[in-house]
Amino acid sequence: MSDKPAPKDPLQGVTLEALLNELVAHYGWPQLGRLVKIRCFNSDPSIKSSLTFLRRTPWARAEVEALYIQLKTPKPARPPRTHTSQGNAPRVLFGRKPDAS
């Protein structure tokens, strides 16, 4: 047997209503409607109508749950940017043309 605990399911113990409320609070209805293209997010959106639709439509619920998991998954920290080709020399963005004498 393995001593490692199984990875925790981010959907464990989260109701569909709580999940939807959190997505709406984070993204807002307009952005949520762009991310998951279903009419109940784009035309007169409400929690009640969205819950009714999501409970009856497995593919839409799967998309919303995937978006929630993506929101809850910690993102890895970005490594600091380094300048390898020029060492630590500052970059010149705009140079002046030399005077023609």
Side-chain angles (χ1 to χ4, degrees), residues 29-51:
W29 286 113
Q31 180 66 16
L32 192 57
R34 283 189 288 278
L35 294 170
V36 181
K37 292 176 177 38
I38 53 178
R39 189 178 310 153
C40 63
F41 288 173
N42 292 310
S43 177
D44 194 25
S46 73
I47 296 292
K48 184 178 178 183
S49 67
S50 298
L51 287 173

Side-chain angles (χ1 to χ4, degrees), residues 11 16 19-20 23 32 36 38 41 54 58-70:
L11 297 175
L16 184 59
L19 177 149
L20 188 57
L23 287 174
L32 192 57
V36 181
I38 53 178
F41 288 173
L54 293 172
W59 66 265
R61 183 176 182 150
E63 285 191 28
V64 170
E65 288 174 346
L67 184 62
Y68 178 79
I69 290 170
Q70 182 181 353

